[in-house]
Amino acid sequence: SNTPIQVGDTLYSCTPFNKIYAINAETGEERWSYDSKATSPAWQRCRGVAYYESETAVEECRTRIVMSTIDARLIEVDAETGTPCPQFGDNGQLDLRIGMGEVKPGFYYTTSQPTVTEGLVILGGFVADNVEVGEPSGVVRAFSAETGDLVWAWDLGNPANTGAAPPEGYTRGTPNMWSNPAVDEDLGMIYLPIGNSTPDFWGGQRTEAADAYNTSVAALDIRTGREVWHQQLVHHDLWDYDNASQPALYDFQDGTGGTTPAVIQMTKTGQIFVMDRRTGEMLIDVEERPVPAGKAEGERYSPTQPFAVGMPMIGSTTLTEADMWGATPIDQMLCRIAFRELRYDGPFTPPGEDASLLWPGFYGGMNWGSASIDPARDYLIFNDIRVAQRIQLIPREQTQSYVDGGGHSGFSGQTGTPYGVTKVNFMSPLGIPCQKPPFGTMTAVDLKTRQIAWQVPLGTVQDTGPLGIKMGLPIPVGMPTLGGPVTTSGGVVFFAGTQDFYLRAMDVETGKELWKARLPVGANATPMSYVSPESGDQFVVISAGGARDSADVGDYVIAYKLKK
C-alpha cells in the first residue's frame, strides 16, 4: 500500500515492516536503505514516508526522510545517507507511546505516512478495531520536525490540555485519525478525517465527546492545534463508517469571478460531502433523514443521519431481492434466501441480536485511497468498493463459544460491552458478493454540474474467481478495489488497486482504458508520476505487494517510462 515520494533525482519508498529505500529515480538503482527493525503482532503497513528540509542543520540531516512505524515510533533519517538524525528525538527517533497510558502490543501504531508542514510533523494513529472499550487515545499530535519536541496536542476528550499528557495519559477511547489529513498552508489549517470510537458496532458506553466527533471532519489551526470547526458526517456511528479517505481540496467557482475554498470528504457510505474550508459550512445540499432504530439493550440510536443529496451517491442504492445475483441459478437462489433471512431496513440498518445486512459495507464506498482532482476539467475522480456485510451482535453470555479474531472479519469480542459481534461479507456459497455487479468502479464527478460524468467497472476476474480459483478471464465485472487514482495534466488517470494484476491508464474524459501493463502481483497502492531531472522523461511508478485477499504477494517497485 506504499506510494513512493520523489525528491530531486531520488525516490523514497518503505516496506510493511518500515524499511526505507532510497532509489535512483532514473534507473531504479538502490542508493541506500534503512531498517527500523519494526515489529507488530497486528497489521504490517507502511503507506509512505514524508520529507523535510531543515532550517538549522548545515551538513548532516539538512534534508530528512520522516517515517512512523508499526511499533509506534517516529523516525527521521538523513535523506542523503539514510543514517538517523541525532538532532531529532533520541538519536533520530521518538516513542509515540509516551503519554498514551497503557498500550498493549498491537493496540496503537501508525500505518499512514506523517504529515510534514510548517516545520511540524503531524500524525494521529491506528487503534485495534472492535477488541475492547477504553483503547488508547485518538489524540492528534504535532512534533517539531527539527528536534522532535512536542509542539501541540489535540485531545478531543480534554481540549483544555494542549500539550504533554497528564499522568494518566490522553483521554482513552476517543475517535482517532488513522488516515491522512489535508493541509491548506495559506489558510493555516489542517483537515482531519476522524474515525469512530472502538468498538465500532456498539456505542452504548461512548462519551458525549466521542459522540460529538465520531466520523467527522475536524479543522485545526496548524500552528496551535486548536479546533476551528468540525462537521459530523455520521451520527453515533455503529457501522465502522469511519472517515478513511484523505480530504480533497478544491476551489469552487462562486459565479461572480471568485472562488470558495472547499474541502471534499469521500465516505464509506458512498456519499460526498463538500464544506467551506474556512467555516465548515456545507456547500452542497445535505438533508437529515429519518433512519431505523434498533433494539439492542443499552444502546441508543440517532433518529436521523445526514445525506449529501447535493452530490451523486455512489453505489448506495437500497438493495432489493431482485438485486441478488449469482454466478449460477443456484447461487442466485441461495443469495435471495439469505437476503430474506436478514433484517434490512435500508441505509443505516442498525446491528442487533438478529442478523442484519450492512450496505454500503464497512469497506466502503470510498476507502483510504481517496480522490484525485483534475483542475483543468473540474473532475473529481475516485474508486469505490461494493461489498455488503452480515452483522450480528452476540450477547456476552454466549460469546465464550467464539474465537476472537478482532479486526474486520469474523468474531470480535468488544470486551467491556454487553455484546460481541460477528461480521462477514455477504457472499454466495461460491464466494461471490450476493448483490449484482459491479463490485467496484471508477467514477468521475463533474464538480461544476455536480453530476456523474462517467463511471466504469474496475478490474476483471483474471486473477480471482469462485472458491478462490482464478478464472483467467478478462471479463470486466468490476471488482472491489483499494488504493486510489492519480491524474496527470495530460488527461490520463493511472490506477492499479484492482484484484487483477494490472496498472491501467484511463482517459480522463471518458474513463476508457488506454493502456495496461501486467504486474507480477496485485497492487493496493496509489501510483505516482514524476519527471526525472536527469533525462526529462516522465515516469509512472507503482508499488506491488499483492492485492487484498490474494495469496500472491511480492515486494516490487516498478517504473514505466512514458513515450514522448
Side-chain angles (χ1 to χ4, degrees):
S1 57
N2 158 66
T3 298
I5 61 171
Q6 175 249 341
V7 182
D9 62 358
T10 305
L11 295 183
Y12 299 95
S13 181
C14 61
T15 72
F17 287 95
N18 299 121
K19 190 172 184 178
I20 305 173
Y21 285 90
I23 304 168
N24 184 309
E26 181 71 28
T27 67
E29 178 184 5
E30 180 183 323
R31 289 198 156 128
W32 55 258
S33 65
Y34 167 80
D35 189 354
S36 70
K37 295 181 168 52
T39 60
S40 171
W43 275 23
Q44 291 81 41
R45 297 288 188 278
C46 183
R47 293 193 175 93
V49 297
Y51 174 79
Y52 174 66
E53 293 185 0
S54 172
E55 297 178 353
T56 60
V58 178
E59 294 182 1
E60 184 182 41
C61 290
R62 185 182 59 82
T63 58
R64 308 178 189 183
I65 299 301
V66 188
M67 178 178 67
S68 51
T69 70
I70 53 175
D71 53 6
R73 287 177 288 155
L74 183 61
I75 294 173
E76 287 192 355
V77 299
D78 191 312
E80 296 294 326
T81 65
T83 56
C85 293
Q87 309 98 318
F88 183 82
D90 181 7
N91 194 33
Q93 61 181 293
L94 300 176
D95 185 348
L96 296 175
R97 296 171 299 178
I98 294 173
M100 300 296 283
E102 181 188 17
V103 179
K104 299 176 183 178
F107 269 65
Y108 168 78
Y109 51 97
T110 51
T111 56
S112 298
Q113 61 266 57
T115 297
V116 176
T117 180
E118 302 289 354
L120 301 174
V121 181
I122 303 173
L123 72 171
F126 176 95
V127 296
D129 272 347
N130 300 310
V131 180
E132 62 187 28
V133 301
E135 292 191 14
S137 178
V139 63
V140 176
R141 290 176 285 180
F143 300 91
S144 165
E146 291 284 347
T147 65
D149 293 338
L150 180 69
V151 176
W152 55 255
W154 184 60
D155 178 358
L156 60 84
N158 183 16
N161 177 41
T162 62
E168 66 275 14
Y170 295 110
T171 308
R172 299 185 73 83
T174 50
N176 63 314
M177 178 189 71
W178 61 264
S179 185
N180 295 106
V183 173
D184 184 333
E185 291 183 339
D186 291 335
L187 287 177
M189 293 167 70
I190 185 167
Y191 304 92
L192 314 179
I194 301 296
N196 57 337
S197 293
T198 189
D200 290 299
F201 300 96
W202 176 261
Q205 84 295 336
R206 290 183 192 159
T207 64
E208 183 177 341
D211 261 349
Y213 285 92
N214 69 258
T215 318
S216 64
V217 177
L220 308 183
D221 183 293
I222 292 174
R223 295 194 175 278
T224 66
R226 296 309 90 210
E227 180 183 331
V228 180
W229 58 260
H230 81 274
Q231 274 277 13
Q232 188 168 66
L233 308 184
V234 176
H235 306 318
H236 196 66
D237 187 348
L238 301 174
W239 304 273
D240 194 11
Y241 279 154
D242 55 316
N243 285 324
S245 295
Q246 181 184 34
L249 304 185
Y250 173 76
D251 292 335
F252 268 111
Q253 300 293 327
D254 62 10
T256 62
T259 58
T260 299
V263 55
I264 303 173
Q265 182 64 56
M266 320 296 290
T267 68
K268 288 184 178 181
T269 62
Q271 300 189 60
I272 304 168
F273 291 87
V274 184
M275 295 148 279
D276 189 314
R277 293 207 292 273
R278 301 162 298 185
T279 65
E281 177 188 1
M282 287 291 178
L283 297 178
I284 61 166
D285 291 336
V286 176
E287 295 178 359
E288 286 285 340
R289 293 180 175 175
V291 294
K295 298 179 180 179
E297 185 176 351
E299 185 57 275
R300 57 187 185 272
Y301 303 93
S302 175
T304 64
Q305 293 289 350
F307 286 78
V309 297
M311 290 288 279
M313 297 187 188
I314 308 300
S316 57
T317 304
T318 300
L319 294 178
T320 67
E321 185 180 333
D323 293 316
M324 297 302 103
W325 180 87
T328 69
I330 294 176
D331 220 29
Q332 183 182 44
M333 178 187 69
L334 292 175
C335 279
R336 288 187 173 185
I337 292 171
F339 179 80
R340 284 191 172 193
E341 290 175 342
L342 294 174
R343 176 172 49 84
Y344 176 59
D345 301 315
F348 300 101
T349 296
E353 293 185 32
D354 56 339
S356 62
L357 182 67
L358 177 61
W359 174 260
F362 51 65
Y363 294 123
M366 286 75 87
N367 210 294
W368 58 265
S370 193
S372 174
I373 292 179
D374 181 347
R377 297 164 182 82
D378 296 291
Y379 277 9
L380 179 76
I381 302 159
F382 54 92
N383 58 297
D384 74 299
I385 301 170
R386 303 185 189 185
V387 178
Q389 278 92 34
R390 178 189 185 276
I391 308 294
Q392 187 169 10
L393 297 178
I394 309 298
R396 181 60 54 203
E397 62 273 14
Q398 299 176 22
T399 59
Q400 289 80 2
S401 59
Y402 289 82
V403 176
D404 191 344
H408 292 103
S409 184
F411 174 77
S412 293
Q414 301 194 139
T415 302
T417 77
Y419 294 98
V421 63
T422 61
K423 50 212 180 312
V424 294
N425 290 339
F426 184 48
M427 309 284 270
S428 79
L430 292 179
I432 301 170
C434 267
Q435 87 281 350
K436 63 185 178 184
F439 310 127
T441 71
M442 184 76 78
T443 301
V445 170
D446 187 326
L447 292 171
K448 298 188 296 296
T449 65
R450 303 179 190 180
Q451 301 293 321
I452 292 176
W454 52 260
Q455 185 174 85
V456 297
L458 269 183
T460 71
V461 290
Q462 180 171 344
D463 297 298
T464 188
L467 303 176
I469 301 170
K470 295 182 181 181
M471 294 189 68
L473 299 173
I475 303 172
V477 175
M479 302 296 286
T481 60
L482 274 177
V486 63
T487 306
T488 70
S489 59
V492 181
V493 180
F494 290 96
F495 184 77
T498 55
Q499 291 192 7
D500 57 1
F501 304 167
Y502 288 98
L503 171 66
R504 288 177 167 85
M506 307 166 70
D507 187 333
V508 74
E509 294 277 6
T510 64
K512 179 182 177 181
E513 183 179 291
L514 301 172
W515 167 89
K516 67 180 178 182
R518 182 73 172 164
L519 302 174
V521 296
N524 282 162
T526 301
M528 60 88 68
S529 182
Y530 62 93
V531 174
S532 170
E534 180 178 331
S535 64
D537 291 328
Q538 184 174 357
F539 290 76
V540 175
V541 171
I542 184 67
S543 295
R548 178 72 64 87
D549 297 326
S550 171
D552 298 310
V553 296
D555 54 359
Y556 302 92
V557 177
I558 303 170
Y560 297 88
K561 185 186 294 186
L562 275 65
K563 294 179 180 179
K564 292 185 179 178

